[in-house]
Amino acid sequence: DTGVSQNPRHKITKRGQNVTFRCDPISEHNRLYWYRQTLGQGPEFLTYFQNEAQLEKSRLLSDRFSAERPEGSISTVTIQRTEQRDSAMYRCASRGTLQETQYFGPGTRLLVL
Amino acid sequence: GDSVTQMEGPVTLSEEAFLTINCTYTATGYPSLFWYVQYPGEGLQLLLKATKADDKGSNKGFEATYRKETTSFHLEKGSVQVSDSAVYFCVRGSTLGRLYFGRGTQLTVWP
């Protein structure tokens, strides 16, 4: 257990539905990252927060994807009008300002039918 | 563009065999380098890291040396165990902190 939690661990939804999942980082970590991992690939960067500010977002992200971290702690990701290509493992990681190591949560596995 | 290339798997070894998983990277500057591991049914965990050229990261009998001349960070272990069976990811850091992952190498160790 790294101290980073995510829920739900699994989510099955129908195409066109909206989904939201959540990340609880290690409490003293001010930096939070989201990654997406598909089968046979390594995790791919999605977005990054420093405290409540979203400082970087992948160019590959569609406008159906949004993330927030309003109080600089818990973060949520929402995917609107889900498509089958959104099926993946969504991983959250956190780190402190002076650290380079990111600590990963267990991930949320999304399946869009 | 910037990327990490690691040896394709799967890799299958007998217990006590020597392990090498090759990894090369491209980047501007000298980023930190990491190996992350994912054991079956678990999340990603840091295995080892190196933050500058010629640094050697080590943990649990695994080692990797940051070679800027060859832009490589190969993972080695002298004697693997069944419990080392996992997926290993070579990872490059960046200025803003985002990580660039290789595709992962599945290692299976047989008794």
Side-chain angles (χ1 to χ4, degrees), chain A residues 33 35 37 41-43 45 56 91 95 100-102, chain B residues 32 36 38 46 49 51 89 96-99 102-103:
Chain A
Y33 301 80
Y35 297 85
Q37 184 177 11
Q41 303 294 321
F45 171 79
E56 190 180 5
R91 298 189 182 276
R95 57 168 271 203
E100 285 197 277
T101 301
Q102 293 185 19
Chain B
S32 293
Y36 274 80
Q38 184 173 11
L46 177 70
K49 69 178 182 182
T51 58
F89 293 93
L96 284 180
R98 64 186 288 186
L99 299 178
R103 296 182 66 171

mmCIF file with all atom_site columns, all heavy atoms in Angstrom, chain A residues 33 35 37 41-43 45 56 91 95 100-102, chain B residues 32 36 38 46 49 51 89 96-99 102-103:
data_model
loop_
_atom_site.group_PDB
_atom_site.id
_atom_site.type_symbol
_atom_site.label_atom_id
_atom_site.label_alt_id
_atom_site.label_comp_id
_atom_site.label_asym_id
_atom_site.label_entity_id
_atom_site.label_seq_id
_atom_site.pdbx_PDB_ins_code
_atom_site.Cartn_x
_atom_site.Cartn_y
_atom_site.Cartn_z
_atom_site.occupancy
_atom_site.B_iso_or_equiv
_atom_site.pdbx_formal_charge
_atom_site.auth_seq_id
_atom_site.auth_comp_id
_atom_site.auth_asym_id
_atom_site.auth_atom_id
_atom_site.pdbx_PDB_model_num
ATOM 1   N N   . TYR A 1 33  ? -0.746 13.556 -10.297 1.00 0.00 ? 33  TYR A N   1
ATOM 2   C CA  . TYR A 1 33  ? -0.671 13.227 -11.725 1.00 0.00 ? 33  TYR A CA  1
ATOM 3   C C   . TYR A 1 33  ? -1.719 12.165 -12.054 1.00 0.00 ? 33  TYR A C   1
ATOM 4   O O   . TYR A 1 33  ? -1.975 11.264 -11.253 1.00 0.00 ? 33  TYR A O   1
ATOM 5   C CB  . TYR A 1 33  ? 0.712  12.658 -12.077 1.00 0.00 ? 33  TYR A CB  1
ATOM 6   C CG  . TYR A 1 33  ? 1.862  13.589 -11.777 1.00 0.00 ? 33  TYR A CG  1
ATOM 7   C CD1 . TYR A 1 33  ? 2.357  13.723 -10.488 1.00 0.00 ? 33  TYR A CD1 1
ATOM 8   C CD2 . TYR A 1 33  ? 2.454  14.338 -12.787 1.00 0.00 ? 33  TYR A CD2 1
ATOM 9   C CE1 . TYR A 1 33  ? 3.416  14.573 -10.203 1.00 0.00 ? 33  TYR A CE1 1
ATOM 10  C CE2 . TYR A 1 33  ? 3.514  15.190 -12.523 1.00 0.00 ? 33  TYR A CE2 1
ATOM 11  C CZ  . TYR A 1 33  ? 3.991  15.301 -11.225 1.00 0.00 ? 33  TYR A CZ  1
ATOM 12  O OH  . TYR A 1 33  ? 5.038  16.155 -10.948 1.00 0.00 ? 33  TYR A OH  1
ATOM 13  N N   . TYR A 1 35  ? -2.570 9.290  -15.120 1.00 0.00 ? 35  TYR A N   1
ATOM 14  C CA  . TYR A 1 35  ? -2.065 8.553  -16.268 1.00 0.00 ? 35  TYR A CA  1
ATOM 15  C C   . TYR A 1 35  ? -3.137 7.578  -16.737 1.00 0.00 ? 35  TYR A C   1
ATOM 16  O O   . TYR A 1 35  ? -4.000 7.165  -15.967 1.00 0.00 ? 35  TYR A O   1
ATOM 17  C CB  . TYR A 1 35  ? -0.814 7.739  -15.900 1.00 0.00 ? 35  TYR A CB  1
ATOM 18  C CG  . TYR A 1 35  ? 0.373  8.564  -15.452 1.00 0.00 ? 35  TYR A CG  1
ATOM 19  C CD1 . TYR A 1 35  ? 0.510  8.983  -14.135 1.00 0.00 ? 35  TYR A CD1 1
ATOM 20  C CD2 . TYR A 1 35  ? 1.384  8.915  -16.360 1.00 0.00 ? 35  TYR A CD2 1
ATOM 21  C CE1 . TYR A 1 35  ? 1.608  9.733  -13.723 1.00 0.00 ? 35  TYR A CE1 1
ATOM 22  C CE2 . TYR A 1 35  ? 2.488  9.656  -15.956 1.00 0.00 ? 35  TYR A CE2 1
ATOM 23  C CZ  . TYR A 1 35  ? 2.591  10.060 -14.641 1.00 0.00 ? 35  TYR A CZ  1
ATOM 24  O OH  . TYR A 1 35  ? 3.678  10.802 -14.241 1.00 0.00 ? 35  TYR A OH  1
ATOM 25  N N   . GLN A 1 37  ? -3.493 3.825  -18.849 1.00 0.00 ? 37  GLN A N   1
ATOM 26  C CA  . GLN A 1 37  ? -2.727 2.674  -19.328 1.00 0.00 ? 37  GLN A CA  1
ATOM 27  C C   . GLN A 1 37  ? -3.651 1.703  -20.044 1.00 0.00 ? 37  GLN A C   1
ATOM 28  O O   . GLN A 1 37  ? -4.657 1.260  -19.478 1.00 0.00 ? 37  GLN A O   1
ATOM 29  C CB  . GLN A 1 37  ? -2.038 1.966  -18.157 1.00 0.00 ? 37  GLN A CB  1
ATOM 30  C CG  . GLN A 1 37  ? -1.141 0.816  -18.569 1.00 0.00 ? 37  GLN A CG  1
ATOM 31  C CD  . GLN A 1 37  ? -0.429 0.196  -17.391 1.00 0.00 ? 37  GLN A CD  1
ATOM 32  O OE1 . GLN A 1 37  ? -0.742 0.478  -16.242 1.00 0.00 ? 37  GLN A OE1 1
ATOM 33  N NE2 . GLN A 1 37  ? 0.560  -0.658 -17.658 1.00 0.00 ? 37  GLN A NE2 1
ATOM 34  N N   . GLN A 1 41  ? 0.711  -1.622 -22.896 1.00 0.00 ? 41  GLN A N   1
ATOM 35  C CA  . GLN A 1 41  ? 1.421  -0.347 -22.962 1.00 0.00 ? 41  GLN A CA  1
ATOM 36  C C   . GLN A 1 41  ? 1.786  0.129  -21.560 1.00 0.00 ? 41  GLN A C   1
ATOM 37  O O   . GLN A 1 41  ? 1.186  -0.298 -20.577 1.00 0.00 ? 41  GLN A O   1
ATOM 38  C CB  . GLN A 1 41  ? 0.538  0.716  -23.625 1.00 0.00 ? 41  GLN A CB  1
ATOM 39  C CG  . GLN A 1 41  ? 0.069  0.355  -25.016 1.00 0.00 ? 41  GLN A CG  1
ATOM 40  C CD  . GLN A 1 41  ? 1.190  0.286  -26.008 1.00 0.00 ? 41  GLN A CD  1
ATOM 41  O OE1 . GLN A 1 41  ? 2.125  1.093  -25.981 1.00 0.00 ? 41  GLN A OE1 1
ATOM 42  N NE2 . GLN A 1 41  ? 1.138  -0.691 -26.901 1.00 0.00 ? 41  GLN A NE2 1
ATOM 43  N N   . GLY A 1 42  ? 2.755  1.027  -21.506 1.00 0.00 ? 42  GLY A N   1
ATOM 44  C CA  . GLY A 1 42  ? 3.034  1.673  -20.240 1.00 0.00 ? 42  GLY A CA  1
ATOM 45  C C   . GLY A 1 42  ? 2.054  2.805  -19.994 1.00 0.00 ? 42  GLY A C   1
ATOM 46  O O   . GLY A 1 42  ? 1.379  3.267  -20.922 1.00 0.00 ? 42  GLY A O   1
ATOM 47  N N   . PRO A 1 43  ? 1.958  3.271  -18.762 1.00 0.00 ? 43  PRO A N   1
ATOM 48  C CA  . PRO A 1 43  ? 1.079  4.404  -18.466 1.00 0.00 ? 43  PRO A CA  1
ATOM 49  C C   . PRO A 1 43  ? 1.460  5.628  -19.285 1.00 0.00 ? 43  PRO A C   1
ATOM 50  O O   . PRO A 1 43  ? 2.643  5.904  -19.505 1.00 0.00 ? 43  PRO A O   1
ATOM 51  C CB  . PRO A 1 43  ? 1.309  4.636  -16.971 1.00 0.00 ? 43  PRO A CB  1
ATOM 52  C CG  . PRO A 1 43  ? 1.749  3.312  -16.444 1.00 0.00 ? 43  PRO A CG  1
ATOM 53  C CD  . PRO A 1 43  ? 2.564  2.715  -17.549 1.00 0.00 ? 43  PRO A CD  1
ATOM 54  N N   . PHE A 1 45  ? 0.869  9.821  -19.717 1.00 0.00 ? 45  PHE A N   1
ATOM 55  C CA  . PHE A 1 45  ? 0.505  11.021 -18.957 1.00 0.00 ? 45  PHE A CA  1
ATOM 56  C C   . PHE A 1 45  ? -0.773 11.658 -19.483 1.00 0.00 ? 45  PHE A C   1
ATOM 57  O O   . PHE A 1 45  ? -0.974 11.788 -20.700 1.00 0.00 ? 45  PHE A O   1
ATOM 58  C CB  . PHE A 1 45  ? 1.652  12.025 -19.046 1.00 0.00 ? 45  PHE A CB  1
ATOM 59  C CG  . PHE A 1 45  ? 1.342  13.384 -18.488 1.00 0.00 ? 45  PHE A CG  1
ATOM 60  C CD1 . PHE A 1 45  ? 1.374  13.613 -17.126 1.00 0.00 ? 45  PHE A CD1 1
ATOM 61  C CD2 . PHE A 1 45  ? 1.003  14.435 -19.334 1.00 0.00 ? 45  PHE A CD2 1
ATOM 62  C CE1 . PHE A 1 45  ? 1.099  14.872 -16.613 1.00 0.00 ? 45  PHE A CE1 1
ATOM 63  C CE2 . PHE A 1 45  ? 0.722  15.691 -18.830 1.00 0.00 ? 45  PHE A CE2 1
ATOM 64  C CZ  . PHE A 1 45  ? 0.769  15.912 -17.468 1.00 0.00 ? 45  PHE A CZ  1
ATOM 65  N N   . GLU A 1 56  ? -0.604 21.237 -16.396 1.00 0.00 ? 56  GLU A N   1
ATOM 66  C CA  . GLU A 1 56  ? -0.252 20.618 -17.671 1.00 0.00 ? 56  GLU A CA  1
ATOM 67  C C   . GLU A 1 56  ? -1.313 19.597 -18.038 1.00 0.00 ? 56  GLU A C   1
ATOM 68  O O   . GLU A 1 56  ? -1.856 18.905 -17.176 1.00 0.00 ? 56  GLU A O   1
ATOM 69  C CB  . GLU A 1 56  ? 1.118  19.940 -17.594 1.00 0.00 ? 56  GLU A CB  1
ATOM 70  C CG  . GLU A 1 56  ? 1.652  19.498 -18.942 1.00 0.00 ? 56  GLU A CG  1
ATOM 71  C CD  . GLU A 1 56  ? 3.025  18.824 -18.873 1.00 0.00 ? 56  GLU A CD  1
ATOM 72  O OE1 . GLU A 1 56  ? 3.530  18.622 -17.752 1.00 0.00 ? 56  GLU A OE1 1
ATOM 73  O OE2 . GLU A 1 56  ? 3.558  18.490 -19.939 1.00 0.00 ? 56  GLU A OE2 1
ATOM 74  N N   . ARG A 1 91  ? -4.686 5.702  -13.733 1.00 0.00 ? 91  ARG A N   1
ATOM 75  C CA  . ARG A 1 91  ? -3.808 5.679  -12.563 1.00 0.00 ? 91  ARG A CA  1
ATOM 76  C C   . ARG A 1 91  ? -3.531 7.095  -12.065 1.00 0.00 ? 91  ARG A C   1
ATOM 77  O O   . ARG A 1 91  ? -3.285 8.002  -12.850 1.00 0.00 ? 91  ARG A O   1
ATOM 78  C CB  . ARG A 1 91  ? -2.483 5.002  -12.897 1.00 0.00 ? 91  ARG A CB  1
ATOM 79  C CG  . ARG A 1 91  ? -2.625 3.542  -13.312 1.00 0.00 ? 91  ARG A CG  1
ATOM 80  C CD  . ARG A 1 91  ? -1.273 2.874  -13.403 1.00 0.00 ? 91  ARG A CD  1
ATOM 81  N NE  . ARG A 1 91  ? -1.347 1.500  -13.846 1.00 0.00 ? 91  ARG A NE  1
ATOM 82  C CZ  . ARG A 1 91  ? -1.585 0.476  -13.039 1.00 0.00 ? 91  ARG A CZ  1
ATOM 83  N NH1 . ARG A 1 91  ? -1.773 0.680  -11.762 1.00 0.00 ? 91  ARG A NH1 1
ATOM 84  N NH2 . ARG A 1 91  ? -1.621 -0.757 -13.527 1.00 0.00 ? 91  ARG A NH2 1
ATOM 85  N N   . ARG A 1 95  ? 3.212  13.165 -5.368  1.00 0.00 ? 95  ARG A N   1
ATOM 86  C CA  . ARG A 1 95  ? 4.579  13.349 -4.881  1.00 0.00 ? 95  ARG A CA  1
ATOM 87  C C   . ARG A 1 95  ? 4.666  14.670 -4.148  1.00 0.00 ? 95  ARG A C   1
ATOM 88  O O   . ARG A 1 95  ? 3.837  15.574 -4.351  1.00 0.00 ? 95  ARG A O   1
ATOM 89  C CB  . ARG A 1 95  ? 5.594  13.321 -6.022  1.00 0.00 ? 95  ARG A CB  1
ATOM 90  C CG  . ARG A 1 95  ? 5.351  14.340 -7.106  1.00 0.00 ? 95  ARG A CG  1
ATOM 91  C CD  . ARG A 1 95  ? 6.516  14.489 -8.063  1.00 0.00 ? 95  ARG A CD  1
ATOM 92  N NE  . ARG A 1 95  ? 7.451  15.497 -7.591  1.00 0.00 ? 95  ARG A NE  1
ATOM 93  C CZ  . ARG A 1 95  ? 8.287  16.152 -8.376  1.00 0.00 ? 95  ARG A CZ  1
ATOM 94  N NH1 . ARG A 1 95  ? 8.336  15.886 -9.654  1.00 0.00 ? 95  ARG A NH1 1
ATOM 95  N NH2 . ARG A 1 95  ? 9.117  17.043 -7.880  1.00 0.00 ? 95  ARG A NH2 1
ATOM 96  N N   . GLU A 1 100 ? 11.251 13.314 -6.208  1.00 0.00 ? 100 GLU A N   1
ATOM 97  C CA  . GLU A 1 100 ? 11.009 12.970 -7.612  1.00 0.00 ? 100 GLU A CA  1
ATOM 98  C C   . GLU A 1 100 ? 10.164 11.723 -7.732  1.00 0.00 ? 100 GLU A C   1
ATOM 99  O O   . GLU A 1 100 ? 9.523  11.497 -8.744  1.00 0.00 ? 100 GLU A O   1
ATOM 100 C CB  . GLU A 1 100 ? 12.334 12.754 -8.327  1.00 0.00 ? 100 GLU A CB  1
ATOM 101 C CG  . GLU A 1 100 ? 13.064 14.051 -8.616  1.00 0.00 ? 100 GLU A CG  1
ATOM 102 C CD  . GLU A 1 100 ? 14.138 13.859 -9.647  1.00 0.00 ? 100 GLU A CD  1
ATOM 103 O OE1 . GLU A 1 100 ? 15.233 13.422 -9.249  1.00 0.00 ? 100 GLU A OE1 1
ATOM 104 O OE2 . GLU A 1 100 ? 13.881 14.122 -10.827 1.00 0.00 ? 100 GLU A OE2 1
ATOM 105 N N   . THR A 1 101 ? 10.156 10.922 -6.704  1.00 0.00 ? 101 THR A N   1
ATOM 106 C CA  . THR A 1 101 ? 9.418  9.663  -6.769  1.00 0.00 ? 101 THR A CA  1
ATOM 107 C C   . THR A 1 101 ? 7.929  9.920  -6.715  1.00 0.00 ? 101 THR A C   1
ATOM 108 O O   . THR A 1 101 ? 7.443  10.644 -5.840  1.00 0.00 ? 101 THR A O   1
ATOM 109 C CB  . THR A 1 101 ? 9.822  8.742  -5.615  1.00 0.00 ? 101 THR A CB  1
ATOM 110 O OG1 . THR A 1 101 ? 11.224 8.493  -5.688  1.00 0.00 ? 101 THR A OG1 1
ATOM 111 C CG2 . THR A 1 101 ? 9.060  7.435  -5.676  1.00 0.00 ? 101 THR A CG2 1
ATOM 112 N N   . GLN A 1 102 ? 7.202  9.321  -7.644  1.00 0.00 ? 102 GLN A N   1
ATOM 113 C CA  . GLN A 1 102 ? 5.742  9.388  -7.620  1.00 0.00 ? 102 GLN A CA  1
ATOM 114 C C   . GLN A 1 102 ? 5.208  8.090  -7.029  1.00 0.00 ? 102 GLN A C   1
ATOM 115 O O   . GLN A 1 102 ? 5.686  7.001  -7.350  1.00 0.00 ? 102 GLN A O   1
ATOM 116 C CB  . GLN A 1 102 ? 5.194  9.587  -9.035  1.00 0.00 ? 102 GLN A CB  1
ATOM 117 C CG  . GLN A 1 102 ? 5.559  10.946 -9.602  1.00 0.00 ? 102 GLN A CG  1
ATOM 118 C CD  . GLN A 1 102 ? 4.937  11.224 -10.943 1.00 0.00 ? 102 GLN A CD  1
ATOM 119 O OE1 . GLN A 1 102 ? 3.960  10.606 -11.348 1.00 0.00 ? 102 GLN A OE1 1
ATOM 120 N NE2 . GLN A 1 102 ? 5.500  12.186 -11.652 1.00 0.00 ? 102 GLN A NE2 1
ATOM 121 N N   . SER B 2 32  ? 15.995 12.368 -14.500 1.00 0.00 ? 32  SER B N   1
ATOM 122 C CA  . SER B 2 32  ? 16.070 11.227 -13.591 1.00 0.00 ? 32  SER B CA  1
ATOM 123 C C   . SER B 2 32  ? 15.489 9.999  -14.283 1.00 0.00 ? 32  SER B C   1
ATOM 124 O O   . SER B 2 32  ? 14.595 10.100 -15.133 1.00 0.00 ? 32  SER B O   1
ATOM 125 C CB  . SER B 2 32  ? 15.282 11.512 -12.318 1.00 0.00 ? 32  SER B CB  1
ATOM 126 O OG  . SER B 2 32  ? 15.912 12.540 -11.575 1.00 0.00 ? 32  SER B OG  1
ATOM 127 N N   . TYR B 2 36  ? 10.083 1.042  -12.413 1.00 0.00 ? 36  TYR B N   1
ATOM 128 C CA  . TYR B 2 36  ? 8.906  0.723  -11.624 1.00 0.00 ? 36  TYR B CA  1
ATOM 129 C C   . TYR B 2 36  ? 8.539  -0.738 -11.890 1.00 0.00 ? 36  TYR B C   1
ATOM 130 O O   . TYR B 2 36  ? 8.799  -1.276 -12.980 1.00 0.00 ? 36  TYR B O   1
ATOM 131 C CB  . TYR B 2 36  ? 7.723  1.626  -11.997 1.00 0.00 ? 36  TYR B CB  1
ATOM 132 C CG  . TYR B 2 36  ? 7.686  2.951  -11.276 1.00 0.00 ? 36  TYR B CG  1
ATOM 133 C CD1 . TYR B 2 36  ? 8.493  4.008  -11.694 1.00 0.00 ? 36  TYR B CD1 1
ATOM 134 C CD2 . TYR B 2 36  ? 6.853  3.159  -10.184 1.00 0.00 ? 36  TYR B CD2 1
ATOM 135 C CE1 . TYR B 2 36  ? 8.456  5.237  -11.024 1.00 0.00 ? 36  TYR B CE1 1
ATOM 136 C CE2 . TYR B 2 36  ? 6.809  4.381  -9.527  1.00 0.00 ? 36  TYR B CE2 1
ATOM 137 C CZ  . TYR B 2 36  ? 7.617  5.400  -9.952  1.00 0.00 ? 36  TYR B CZ  1
ATOM 138 O OH  . TYR B 2 36  ? 7.578  6.612  -9.300  1.00 0.00 ? 36  TYR B OH  1
ATOM 139 N N   . GLN B 2 38  ? 5.394  -3.824 -11.361 1.00 0.00 ? 38  GLN B N   1
ATOM 140 C CA  . GLN B 2 38  ? 4.001  -4.142 -11.038 1.00 0.00 ? 38  GLN B CA  1
ATOM 141 C C   . GLN B 2 38  ? 3.899  -5.638 -10.826 1.00 0.00 ? 38  GLN B C   1
ATOM 142 O O   . GLN B 2 38  ? 3.968  -6.414 -11.792 1.00 0.00 ? 38  GLN B O   1
ATOM 143 C CB  . GLN B 2 38  ? 3.065  -3.690 -12.151 1.00 0.00 ? 38  GLN B CB  1
ATOM 144 C CG  . GLN B 2 38  ? 1.606  -3.903 -11.826 1.00 0.00 ? 38  GLN B CG  1
ATOM 145 C CD  . GLN B 2 38  ? 0.681  -3.296 -12.853 1.00 0.00 ? 38  GLN B CD  1
ATOM 146 O OE1 . GLN B 2 38  ? 1.115  -2.872 -13.927 1.00 0.00 ? 38  GLN B OE1 1
ATOM 147 N NE2 . GLN B 2 38  ? -0.585 -3.244 -12.543 1.00 0.00 ? 38  GLN B NE2 1
ATOM 148 N N   . LEU B 2 46  ? 7.794  1.865  -7.097  1.00 0.00 ? 46  LEU B N   1
ATOM 149 C CA  . LEU B 2 46  ? 9.158  2.211  -7.458  1.00 0.00 ? 46  LEU B CA  1
ATOM 150 C C   . LEU B 2 46  ? 10.088 1.072  -7.056  1.00 0.00 ? 46  LEU B C   1
ATOM 151 O O   . LEU B 2 46  ? 10.057 0.613  -5.909  1.00 0.00 ? 46  LEU B O   1
ATOM 152 C CB  . LEU B 2 46  ? 9.589  3.497  -6.758  1.00 0.00 ? 46  LEU B CB  1
ATOM 153 C CG  . LEU B 2 46  ? 11.028 3.914  -7.005  1.00 0.00 ? 46  LEU B CG  1
ATOM 154 C CD1 . LEU B 2 46  ? 11.203 4.368  -8.452  1.00 0.00 ? 46  LEU B CD1 1
ATOM 155 C CD2 . LEU B 2 46  ? 11.447 5.032  -6.052  1.00 0.00 ? 46  LEU B CD2 1
ATOM 156 N N   . LYS B 2 49  ? 15.947 4.000  -8.576  1.00 0.00 ? 49  LYS B N   1
ATOM 157 C CA  . LYS B 2 49  ? 16.065 5.214  -9.372  1.00 0.00 ? 49  LYS B CA  1
ATOM 158 C C   . LYS B 2 49  ? 17.509 5.711  -9.385  1.00 0.00 ? 49  LYS B C   1
ATOM 159 O O   . LYS B 2 49  ? 18.326 5.319  -8.545  1.00 0.00 ? 49  LYS B O   1
ATOM 160 C CB  . LYS B 2 49  ? 15.161 6.315  -8.826  1.00 0.00 ? 49  LYS B CB  1
ATOM 161 C CG  . LYS B 2 49  ? 15.581 6.865  -7.479  1.00 0.00 ? 49  LYS B CG  1
ATOM 162 C CD  . LYS B 2 49  ? 14.636 7.992  -7.046  1.00 0.00 ? 49  LYS B CD  1
ATOM 163 C CE  . LYS B 2 49  ? 15.082 8.578  -5.715  1.00 0.00 ? 49  LYS B CE  1
ATOM 164 N NZ  . LYS B 2 49  ? 14.152 9.643  -5.245  1.00 0.00 ? 49  LYS B NZ  1
ATOM 165 N N   . THR B 2 51  ? 19.460 9.618  -10.321 1.00 0.00 ? 51  THR B N   1
ATOM 166 C CA  . THR B 2 51  ? 19.136 11.005 -10.637 1.00 0.00 ? 51  THR B CA  1
ATOM 167 C C   . THR B 2 51  ? 20.177 11.720 -11.470 1.00 0.00 ? 51  THR B C   1
ATOM 168 O O   . THR B 2 51  ? 19.928 12.817 -11.965 1.00 0.00 ? 51  THR B O   1
ATOM 169 C CB  . THR B 2 51  ? 18.894 11.804 -9.352  1.00 0.00 ? 51  THR B CB  1
ATOM 170 O OG1 . THR B 2 51  ? 20.071 11.717 -8.552  1.00 0.00 ? 51  THR B OG1 1
ATOM 171 C CG2 . THR B 2 51  ? 17.718 11.243 -8.586  1.00 0.00 ? 51  THR B CG2 1
ATOM 172 N N   . PHE B 2 89  ? 8.846  -1.670 -15.692 1.00 0.00 ? 89  PHE B N   1
ATOM 173 C CA  . PHE B 2 89  ? 8.746  -0.491 -16.549 1.00 0.00 ? 89  PHE B CA  1
ATOM 174 C C   . PHE B 2 89  ? 9.964  0.392  -16.367 1.00 0.00 ? 89  PHE B C   1
ATOM 175 O O   . PHE B 2 89  ? 10.296 0.783  -15.237 1.00 0.00 ? 89  PHE B O   1
ATOM 176 C CB  . PHE B 2 89  ? 7.505  0.346  -16.209 1.00 0.00 ? 89  PHE B CB  1
ATOM 177 C CG  . PHE B 2 89  ? 6.198  -0.321 -16.513 1.00 0.00 ? 89  PHE B CG  1
ATOM 178 C CD1 . PHE B 2 89  ? 5.540  -1.054 -15.544 1.00 0.00 ? 89  PHE B CD1 1
ATOM 179 C CD2 . PHE B 2 89  ? 5.625  -0.203 -17.767 1.00 0.00 ? 89  PHE B CD2 1
ATOM 180 C CE1 . PHE B 2 89  ? 4.328  -1.665 -15.803 1.00 0.00 ? 89  PHE B CE1 1
ATOM 181 C CE2 . PHE B 2 89  ? 4.407  -0.813 -18.052 1.00 0.00 ? 89  PHE B CE2 1
ATOM 182 C CZ  . PHE B 2 89  ? 3.766  -1.543 -17.066 1.00 0.00 ? 89  PHE B CZ  1
ATOM 183 N N   . LEU B 2 96  ? 8.888  19.066 -15.400 1.00 0.00 ? 96  LEU B N   1
ATOM 184 C CA  . LEU B 2 96  ? 7.645  19.337 -14.688 1.00 0.00 ? 96  LEU B CA  1
ATOM 185 C C   . LEU B 2 96  ? 7.191  18.156 -13.835 1.00 0.00 ? 96  LEU B C   1
ATOM 186 O O   . LEU B 2 96  ? 6.209  18.255 -13.113 1.00 0.00 ? 96  LEU B O   1
ATOM 187 C CB  . LEU B 2 96  ? 6.533  19.703 -15.677 1.00 0.00 ? 96  LEU B CB  1
ATOM 188 C CG  . LEU B 2 96  ? 6.604  21.107 -16.260 1.00 0.00 ? 96  LEU B CG  1
ATOM 189 C CD1 . LEU B 2 96  ? 5.448  21.342 -17.225 1.00 0.00 ? 96  LEU B CD1 1
ATOM 190 C CD2 . LEU B 2 96  ? 6.574  22.163 -15.160 1.00 0.00 ? 96  LEU B CD2 1
ATOM 191 N N   . GLY B 2 97  ? 7.924  17.051 -13.952 1.00 0.00 ? 97  GLY B N   1
ATOM 192 C CA  . GLY B 2 97  ? 7.607  15.913 -13.110 1.00 0.00 ? 97  GLY B CA  1
ATOM 193 C C   . GLY B 2 97  ? 6.855  14.798 -13.785 1.00 0.00 ? 97  GLY B C   1
ATOM 194 O O   . GLY B 2 97  ? 6.780  13.695 -13.252 1.00 0.00 ? 97  GLY B O   1
ATOM 195 N N   . ARG B 2 98  ? 6.270  15.039 -14.956 1.00 0.00 ? 98  ARG B N   1
ATOM 196 C CA  . ARG B 2 98  ? 5.552  13.952 -15.605 1.00 0.00 ? 98  ARG B CA  1
ATOM 197 C C   . ARG B 2 98  ? 6.535  12.841 -15.943 1.00 0.00 ? 98  ARG B C   1
ATOM 198 O O   . ARG B 2 98  ? 7.705  13.100 -16.218 1.00 0.00 ? 98  ARG B O   1
ATOM 199 C CB  . ARG B 2 98  ? 4.824  14.433 -16.860 1.00 0.00 ? 98  ARG B CB  1
ATOM 200 C CG  . ARG B 2 98  ? 5.737  14.927 -17.951 1.00 0.00 ? 98  ARG B CG  1
ATOM 201 C CD  . ARG B 2 98  ? 5.001  15.522 -19.127 1.00 0.00 ? 98  ARG B CD  1
ATOM 202 N NE  . ARG B 2 98  ? 4.312  14.537 -19.943 1.00 0.00 ? 98  ARG B NE  1
ATOM 203 C CZ  . ARG B 2 98  ? 3.704  14.840 -21.089 1.00 0.00 ? 98  ARG B CZ  1
ATOM 204 N NH1 . ARG B 2 98  ? 3.656  16.083 -21.518 1.00 0.00 ? 98  ARG B NH1 1
ATOM 205 N NH2 . ARG B 2 98  ? 3.101  13.902 -21.788 1.00 0.00 ? 98  ARG B NH2 1
ATOM 206 N N   . LEU B 2 99  ? 6.050  11.626 -15.906 1.00 0.00 ? 99  LEU B N   1
ATOM 207 C CA  . LEU B 2 99  ? 6.887  10.463 -16.180 1.00 0.00 ? 99  LEU B CA  1
ATOM 208 C C   . LEU B 2 99  ? 6.576  9.913  -17.559 1.00 0.00 ? 99  LEU B C   1
ATOM 209 O O   . LEU B 2 99  ? 5.430  9.905  -18.005 1.00 0.00 ? 99  LEU B O   1
ATOM 210 C CB  . LEU B 2 99  ? 6.649  9.367  -15.134 1.00 0.00 ? 99  LEU B CB  1
ATOM 211 C CG  . LEU B 2 99  ? 6.956  9.730  -13.687 1.00 0.00 ? 99  LEU B CG  1
ATOM 212 C CD1 . LEU B 2 99  ? 6.630  8.569  -12.761 1.00 0.00 ? 99  LEU B CD1 1
ATOM 213 C CD2 . LEU B 2 99  ? 8.404  10.168 -13.523 1.00 0.00 ? 99  LEU B CD2 1
ATOM 214 N N   . GLY B 2 102 ? 8.235  3.271  -20.510 1.00 0.00 ? 102 GLY B N   1
ATOM 215 C CA  . GLY B 2 102 ? 8.364  2.296  -21.578 1.00 0.00 ? 102 GLY B CA  1
ATOM 216 C C   . GLY B 2 102 ? 7.139  1.399  -21.592 1.00 0.00 ? 102 GLY B C   1
ATOM 217 O O   . GLY B 2 102 ? 6.231  1.529  -20.767 1.00 0.00 ? 102 GLY B O   1
ATOM 218 N N   . ARG B 2 103 ? 7.114  0.471  -22.529 1.00 0.00 ? 103 ARG B N   1
ATOM 219 C CA  . ARG B 2 103 ? 5.940  -0.381 -22.700 1.00 0.00 ? 103 ARG B CA  1
ATOM 220 C C   . ARG B 2 103 ? 5.832  -1.467 -21.644 1.00 0.00 ? 103 ARG B C   1
ATOM 221 O O   . ARG B 2 103 ? 4.782  -2.098 -21.513 1.00 0.00 ? 103 ARG B O   1
ATOM 222 C CB  . ARG B 2 103 ? 5.956  -1.016 -24.085 1.00 0.00 ? 103 ARG B CB  1
ATOM 223 C CG  . ARG B 2 103 ? 5.834  -0.014 -25.199 1.00 0.00 ? 103 ARG B CG  1
ATOM 224 C CD  . ARG B 2 103 ? 5.801  -0.680 -26.533 1.00 0.00 ? 103 ARG B CD  1
ATOM 225 N NE  . ARG B 2 103 ? 4.589  -1.491 -26.700 1.00 0.00 ? 103 ARG B NE  1
ATOM 226 C CZ  . ARG B 2 103 ? 4.225  -2.042 -27.835 1.00 0.00 ? 103 ARG B CZ  1
ATOM 227 N NH1 . ARG B 2 103 ? 4.962  -1.894 -28.909 1.00 0.00 ? 103 ARG B NH1 1
ATOM 228 N NH2 . ARG B 2 103 ? 3.127  -2.757 -27.911 1.00 0.00 ? 103 ARG B NH2 1
#
